[in-house]
Every structure is written in C-alpha cells, then in structure tokens.
Amino acid sequence: MQKRWLSMTAVLTAIALVAAACGGGGTSGTTSTPSGAAATTAATAVGEVIIASDLPTSGADASSGLPTQNGAAFAIAQTKSYKGITITFKPFDDTVNGVHDPQKGAQNVQQMLSDPKVIAMVGPFNSNVARAEIPIANQGPLAMMSPANTNECLTQTFPYCDPQPAALRPTGKNNYFRIAAPDTVQGPAMADYIIKTLKLTKVAVFSDNETFGKGVADNFVKRLTATGGVLTNRSDFDWKTTNDFKPFINAAKAAGAQAIYAGATSATKACIVRSQMQGILDVPFTGPDGIGDDQCLKDSGSNTANMYFTNAAGDAAQNPDAASIVAAFKQAYPKASDLGAYTFPAYDCAFILVDAIKRAIDAAGGKVPTRQQVIDAVQATSGLKGTVGTYAFDANGDPKSATMAFWASKGTPAVWTFQSQFSVGQ
Amino acid sequence: MVSSVANARTRLLAGSRGKLLNATLFLIIAIAVIILATKVATLGPAYFVQILVYGLANGSIFALIALGYTMVYGIVELINFAHGDVFTLGGFISLWLLPTFGVTEGGSVSGAGLILPLLAILVISMVACAVVNVTIERVAYRPLRHAPRLTPLITAVGMSFVLEGVMYLWRGPFNLHYPNVLPTAGIELGGANGPAIGFKDLAVIAIAIVLMVALSLFVERTKLGKAMRATAQDRDAAQLMGIDINRTIAATFFIGALLAGAGGMIFGLYYNTITFDQGFTAGLVAFTAAVFGGIGNIQGAALGGLVIGMIQSLSDGYFDTAWTQVLIFAILVLVLVFRPTGILGMRVPEK
C-alpha cells in the first residue's frame, strides 16, 4: 500500500514539474534569435538595461504575436550597447491555453517590475490586456510602447469609456504610448471604404464582445449611420461558446445586407463566420486589423474572395527609406510566417524605445537611467523616422500622426494584398 | 435513493408552496413566449421556419451527445464527464481522415461521389471513439465500480482533461477549419433573398434520426439491449440471471461513444470549425438536455436535445447570443427545481 502511495506521489510530482515548466515558458529568460539579440559583452559593460516585450506568442494568437515579437527583437539587436551600457531583449508571452489573457499580462508586467534592469516594454498586442497592464506598469512606472493597441479608451476620455483613461493611471502621470491609430479612426476608416470605394450602404455588424472588438464595431456603426449607410442588424457574440453564426447570417440576408463588418479577431472566431456564410450570403466580408492574418484565411475555407481589413499601421514595403531594413529583416528571419502586419510597427516601437533610452543615458551622464527618465525621453520623441511612420507623441501617449492601410484578399489560394493607405493627424 | 428523494420532492411540491412555484414557472414561460411571439410576427414566417430548421439540426447534434450521457447514467449512475471530449475526438479523427479519403474543400470528389467516403469516415470515426470510450471505462471506471460514487466522478473529470490535452498536443489550440464539403444548395423559401433550408441541415437531421432510431431498435429488440435494460434496472439480479455485467456496461459505453463520435463529425461538417476544448461546453449543454428529458431515459435525452437545440436557435435568432447560455442553464436550474425527474421522468433503479 505504502509503495503504491509512493509511486503515486512520484507521478504527481512529475506532472507538477511538467506543468510548471510549461507554465513558466513565457518567463524563462531571453529567447535566442537568429541575429543574436541577446549577445552581451559583459567585460566592457558598465551596466545593463533590458527592453521587455509582452505579446501573445503561443497558441492561436501566435500567428500574429510571434511576427510582432520578431520585429522588436530585430530592432533591439541593431543596437547592442550604448556608452558601455548593454541593451538586451526579454520577451514575455501573455497567452493562457493559446489565447491572450489580461491576468497573465498583468503578472508579466509585475515580473518585469521586479527586475530592476527592465526599463521599458514593447506591447501589449491586445487592448484588453493593455487595460489590465497599464495600472500596474503605471505604478512602476514603466514605459509601455504598443505597436497594435487601438482601443480609444486606453488613452482618450469619452463619456462611454469604462474605465476612463485617468482611472488606469493611478499615479496621475502617463507611462503608456502607442503608434497605432485608435479605433476612432480604424472603425470609421472601413465605414468610409465600404461606402466610397466598395459603393455599398447596407451592412450587418457583429462583434466578439471584447474591449477591442466591440469598441471598433461601435465606431464603425457610428460613422456608417452618420454618412448615409444603414445598419441592418447587429450581434455581439459570446465567442467562447458560440459556434453557430447562421441565425445572424440569415438575419443579415433577410434585411438585405450588402456587406458584413466583423468587430473581432481571428482568434475570436471572426472568420468562422466567413466560412458559414458560404451558400447563404455572398457579400464582402470586412473587419479590423484583427482579421489580417493567415488564420483568418484558413478559417474561411474556400470562401476567401472579397475580404477586406484595415491595418492601423502603414506597410513598410511602401516606404523606400525602409527597404534596406526590410531586406535585412528578411535575411535574419527568412520564413514567410516570420513577417506579419505588425512586425515593422513593433520594430518601430523598439526603435523608439532604444532612441529614448540613448537620450536618457546621455541625460543621466552616461549612467543607467531611471524608468521615469526613459518615460520622459519617450514623451520628448520628436520627428523620429521609423519604417512605417514618423513619430511624436501627444500628452495622452497617442501618436501625433498615424497611418491607416487597407488590405484585401486576392488570388487562389488567397493572400492578403496591400491596397492603399492614408495618414491621419490626431 | 435518488428517486425516493425525487418522490419526496414531488409530494412536497403538491402542497401550496408547490402551486405557487408552478404558477411562477408558468408565468416566466408565458412572458418568454409572448416576447418571442411578437418578435416572430415582425420578422415573418419564412425566417421562423429557417430558425426552426437550424434548431432541429442543432438539437440533433445535442441529442446524439445526450444519449451517451443518459445511457451511461442509466446503467452505472455515473456522469461521464469525458463524454463531451469523446464527441470532440470524433471531429478530430474524421478531420484527419478526410484528406486520406480524398475529400477536400473544392476538391475533385463531390456530389454523389461524396456519399461513400463520408460514410466510411463516419463509421471509422464512430468505432475509434467507441474503442477509446470502452478503454476509458476499463481503465478509469471499472476498477472503481465499488468505490464511493464521488471517486469515478473525479476520474471522469480527469479523463476529460486527458482527452483535451491529447487533442491540444495533436492539433494545437487553434480553431481548426473543418472542410465545407456538403453541398451548400438548398430549398429556397421566399425568393432568392429569402431564407433557405440547406441540404446540409437536412443531412444532419437525417443522419441523427437514423442513428437514434437504430439505437432505440437495438435497445428494444436485441438480446444485448435487453441485458442493458436489465442491468440498469437491477445490476445484482441481472448478474444472477447470468448476464455478463462487465460486458454489458462496456457495450453501453461503446454505443454511447458511437453516437458521440458521429455527433463530432456532423458538428464539424455543419459548423466548419472544431476546437480541442469544444467538448466542454457542448458536453454541458448535452448534459442539460439529458437532465431535461429525464436522465437515464433514452427517449427523454433525444427529446431534451431537440428542445435545447431549438431554444438555442430561437434565442440566437430572435434575442441575442449573449442570452443563449443563460437561457439554457436557467432551464437546467428550473428543471432541477420543479421537475427533478425531467420531462419524461427518470429511469433509475429503485433501491
């Protein structure tokens, strides 16, 4: 009997160890990158600073999170040290069971704060994760620089925001910056595109009921109805438990919808709807940046024609000045799946942070700067040219100008193809 | 034990408090029906028919899963929590087999040529799921047959996690696209822009009905079916009559998983998406269906599945999907409070 207990305990311990190993994957240190981002020259170093990242890099979200992380890692690898202070990269993963998780993100930020070397972070990717992370990072204070967050309530005060941006910043000072255009631009951009470019007026809208998805859908509907469009019907799905989208599709059909707008992401089943539309409703399928990845095209099955998305950042391939950086990146990360819509925005985020850290080091007289000094340096960024934009920040942490791009699915098998882009001043 | 509690409950409800409760329940249902009726009237009859067809197809899938729960409960009084994951496994195995049989979306095999390969895949997936379920019974439940009731319940939860883990490792956490191979054409109601009853919907309903009729014939007419009924009624007496209990119980798990496996494949074909953890929610809903119809009661499970599927579609179509889960589990609570034995009554051994 005792023997049996012993062996059982052994098995349980083994399981616990494996679980711990898996759970700790995101925090187990610096991931090696092809270009050797983590290479340090400890002999000459008078100090070390770490730029962390918090992105969803495993599971369903990895299709957008990993290419983003690659961009940040590549940018930081370009500057290994400055005035004897080494700059290294430490990625964190905020997924739980393959899906981005606000609590996990908050834990990651706490880990970053506990490491005095971490003086800035790239990320997060998802707006609901940002909402959980900003208050914690704010008390650090730790500079956050997101390539992809678009929810307007993270930075701007609107009556419908809950919580208000001020509530996310307990110290009263701002520590959060982003380079993507907020959803007050992204949602309306697709509404304009549907009315002016696709020349359609009746649109059915659904959302995944998350911070990002519902917010961008609301902004879409506001512009659509204000510019002569008609909202035929709307559903906010509990995406975790919903598999049957046919009643929504049929309601759209009955109301004569000429297009569908998805306030959701591939990870929240946006493109399953596209697949289920087959044979019922054959109209263009549109959405925000959240559907602009391979997973969406896979989920749509053979129903991939006529799909459009807005990207809240420009396309680096449209910028001739960035050509050499794009080429160098492709050499270091040769796989097609290494490059995503937010790779170069993330590159720019890390680039802005590195630039700010250099200025902060100068200001601190060649010593390791404090976290607050880094935040001040980021805020003072002005006219900095990156691969997809030129950066300066307003007091809210929003970019003073941003780019919005339109992409469409083309060809068989379908690939996302750049259509056009425009600049927006805040 | 269970039914004596239930009887006591029923007697209690017969009192004045029971009348009040029944009146409240009636009022709640009446309000829901009135709201629904006004919505139905505004959206027109064709849309209503469409939603009913979706409800039937939804319900057929739930019924297939619910049957496994109810059969296993009837015979060993165990809620087999791994059953929902056996259902998912059916989807995964069939998804893996589809390209092997040359069935791909927009591929060369189409129309009538699809029938044979799809049937073959269906049968293989069903049998594979059945073998897995019998193995689970042999490994995780049979050694605990005389242990306290809670013990096999916990191993059942454990087996559920094991299956989910295996499928996670096999195909990852993504929503997997399940090829849309069934013809998308259908019978059109009210012109080209109106609703249509798809071939897909009809196929799903037809397969489920065939399987359910086969099951009820099997349980009513065959020797093994008789043995199953006898074992469910009184295990010890059945053993005295020379019935091999272990074999009978294994057969119950086998048949339950056959239906769940078929449900898994149909689910994939119908919704074009499967995820490793879908069995958790689907299993809970199907379990609700089984309780609704009266757990242990085969006809009850089929009826419960159809009713729950119909409620789901009506709620999705006329209210909001956000309310669907609330409605379904509110029904579970109401049924347990007002009719603990389900609509058609529990069939559990008197002890």
Side-chain angles (χ1 to χ4, degrees), chain B residues 19 56 70 76 92-93 97 120 205 242 246 311 315-316 337 351:
Chain B
K19 271 179 194 155
L56 271 180
T70 223
V76 286
F92 272 64
I93 292 174
L97 286 171
I205 298 166
N246 282 336
I311 290 170
S315 164
D316 280 357
V337 170
K351 279 183 188 161

Side-chain angles (χ1 to χ4, degrees), chain A residues 1-11:
Chain A
M1 195 60 200
Q2 209 173 2
K3 247 188 174 166
R4 190 183 276 184
W5 273 114
L6 263 177
S7 63
M8 239 169 102
T9 319
V11 169

Side-chain angles (χ1 to χ4, degrees), chain B residues 29 46 60 135 152 154 163 181 218 226 249 254 287 294 307 318 337:
Chain B
I29 294 173
S60 305
T135 314
I154 291 168
L163 284 180
V181 293
F218 177 85
K226 207 171 183 179
I249 292 176
F254 190 89
F287 175 65
V307 170
Y318 286 106
V337 170

Side-chain angles (χ1 to χ4, degrees), chain A residues 22-31 33 52-73 89-101 104-105 108 112 122-126 129 133 147 267 333 337-338 342-343 346, chain B residues 168 173-174:
Chain A
C22 295
T27 58
S28 61
T30 312
T31 311
T33 55
S53 76
D54 181 78
L55 299 163
T57 51
S58 60
D61 280 342
S63 60
S64 44
L66 267 182
T68 310
Q69 182 176 304
N70 291 341
F89 179 57
K90 183 171 180 178
F92 288 77
D93 177 7
D94 62 29
T95 61
V96 172
N97 284 338
V99 179
H100 58 275
D101 184 85
K104 181 80 168 89
N108 288 346
M112 292 174 199
V122 174
F125 196 84
N126 303 87
V129 178
E133 288 181 351
Y333 295 87
S337 60
D338 288 336
Y342 280 106
T343 300
Chain B
Y168 180 105
F174 308 95

Side-chain angles (χ1 to χ4, degrees), chain B residues 226-277:
Chain B
K226 207 171 183 179
M228 283 161 70
R229 281 182 290 142
T231 312
Q233 216 162 53
D234 189 330
R235 199 190 292 167
D236 296 333
Q239 198 160 18
L240 288 174
M241 296 296 131
I243 292 172
D244 184 343
I245 299 293
N246 282 336
R247 207 185 67 139
T248 312
I249 292 176
T252 310
F253 275 85
F254 190 89
I255 294 167
L258 280 181
L259 298 176
M265 177 171 173
I266 295 172
F267 182 96
L269 286 171
Y270 191 62
Y271 297 123
N272 307 118
T273 178
I274 54 172
T275 334
F276 76 102
D277 60 354

Side-chain angles (χ1 to χ4, degrees), chain A residues 59-60 63 97-98 209 234-238 240-244 246-248 250-251 253-254 256 266-269 272 275-276 278-280 295 298-303, chain B residues 47 50-51 54 58 105-106 168 173-178 180 184 188 192-196 200-201 267 270-273 275-276 278 281 312-313 316-317 320-322 325:
Chain A
S63 60
N97 284 338
N209 222 2
R234 163 145 187 194
S235 280
D236 297 296
F237 293 110
D238 176 2
K240 280 184 184 145
T241 56
T242 307
N243 288 304
D244 188 4
K246 293 193 185 102
F248 165 75
N250 268 285
K253 183 183 173 186
S266 314
T268 59
K269 295 187 179 165
I272 310 289
S275 172
Q276 292 188 5
Q278 193 162 27
I280 303 174
Q295 177 72 24
K298 274 186 213 157
D299 284 346
S300 309
S302 59
N303 203 12
Chain B
Y47 183 71
Q50 177 88 66
I51 292 295
Y54 288 153
N58 259 336
E105 190 162 336
Y168 180 105
F174 308 95
N175 303 321
L176 296 170
H177 176 68
Y178 200 103
N180 193 0
T184 47
E188 295 200 340
N193 231 2
K200 251 171 129 173
D201 308 303
F267 182 96
Y270 191 62
Y271 297 123
N272 307 118
T273 178
T275 334
F276 76 102
Q278 74 188 22
T281 327
Q312 178 171 12
S313 288
D316 280 357
D320 197 319
T321 55
Q325 298 285 320

